[in-house]
Amino acid sequence: MPYTARVGPKVASALGRWAYNMAGFNQYGLYRDDCLAEYGDVREAVRRLPEKLKDERNYRFIRALHLSATHTVLPKEQWTKYEDDVKYLEPYLKEVRREREEKNKWETTM
């Protein structure tokens, strides 16, 4: 029987926090959802965002582009924290994927 390690919530959280910080996008004030490639379902989910969320997303992008162009990052106290990261795109993305799956199901039954 192969050995399978059990990872407790604290270990998984510590590993997730470490990976989050190593990715580096948080140093520019970006959220995890800001880093999703904008193709297909993600593009449609972004299109469906309310204007306020779109404006906030655009502001984060402009700030990150400016920081990147000047070869700087935000001061550490302004970095996006693992605990504060908001998956703002997830509900819209789930809806888009559910609709696409339903559409595919209807197309295959006809």
Side-chain angles (χ1 to χ4, degrees):
M1 179 190 279
Y3 173 76
T4 55
R6 292 189 179 186
V7 179
K10 287 188 179 187
V11 174
S13 178
L15 183 60
R17 183 175 285 106
W18 176 82
Y20 184 87
N21 288 322
M22 290 304 294
F25 60 83
N26 64 324
Q27 297 175 15
Y28 295 97
L30 295 172
Y31 293 148
R32 191 177 346 201
D33 284 355
D34 293 335
C35 299
L36 296 174
E38 213 170 299
Y39 298 103
D41 292 347
V42 175
R43 179 175 285 168
E44 178 60 23
V46 169
R47 189 187 68 75
R48 295 181 184 192
L49 284 173
E51 286 301 315
K52 184 178 187 306
L53 288 178
K54 279 185 193 176
D55 290 345
E56 291 171 356
R57 175 184 169 92
N58 289 334
Y59 173 77
R60 288 191 300 274
F61 282 148
I62 290 168
R63 180 177 56 183
L65 286 170
H66 173 72
L67 290 167
S68 178
T70 58
H71 302 287
T72 58
V73 295
L74 291 170
K76 192 161 186 160
E77 61 273 0
Q78 293 181 19
W79 291 5
T80 306
K81 294 173 188 61
Y82 179 76
E83 302 81 21
D84 298 336
D85 193 292
V86 178
K87 292 185 178 182
Y88 66 92
L89 198 56
E90 191 170 305
Y92 301 96
L93 196 51
K94 283 181 180 178
E95 180 182 333
V96 168
R97 288 178 176 156
R98 184 185 51 75
E99 289 174 5
R100 180 179 40 80
E101 289 169 3
E102 185 176 332
K103 181 181 175 186
N104 289 341
K105 183 180 176 183
W106 276 101
E107 288 175 353
T108 57
T109 59
M110 296 183 134

